[in-house]
């Protein structure tokens, strides 16, 4: 779970893609806006990206592990 309350930088580890789901509010992931109920796939090679806005994201890797922050 990631709560966005202003801009900050996240980093991908290049192992595999990641799934982000916005469960509350509105969050900008890079140039894209996610609203509650919307999902996004981030490629493994993305590197750094910015998260901003006022909302809550859930994120997971496709290997079945759920990461809590």
């Amino acid at each position: 779970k990631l709560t966005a309350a202003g801009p900050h930088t996240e980093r991908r580890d290049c192992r595999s893609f990641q799934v982000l789901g916005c469960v509350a509010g509105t969050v900008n992931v890079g140039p894209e806006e996610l609203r509650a109920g919307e999902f996004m796939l981030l490629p493994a090679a993305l590197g750094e990206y910015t998260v901003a806005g006022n909302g809550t994201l859930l994120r997971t890797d496709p290997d079945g592990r759920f990461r809590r922050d």
Side-chain angles (χ1 to χ4, degrees):
K1 180 174 156 182
L2 172 66
T3 301
H8 67 278
T9 301
E10 292 288 319
R11 181 150 184 73
R12 293 292 303 126
D13 64 9
C14 295
R15 286 183 304 124
S16 63
F17 69 90
Q18 187 174 68
V19 180
L20 295 180
C22 184
V23 295
T26 302
V27 179
N28 292 328
V29 180
E32 301 296 325
E33 181 179 84
L34 287 179
R35 296 180 184 159
E38 295 181 334
F39 290 82
M40 167 185 283
L41 297 176
L42 300 178
L46 181 62
E48 289 186 353
Y49 59 96
T50 302
V51 176
N54 188 11
T56 303
L57 291 172
L58 291 181
R59 61 185 172 183
T60 188
D61 289 312
D63 63 6
R65 293 180 301 128
F66 185 78
R67 189 171 111 190
R68 281 188 154 173
D69 294 322

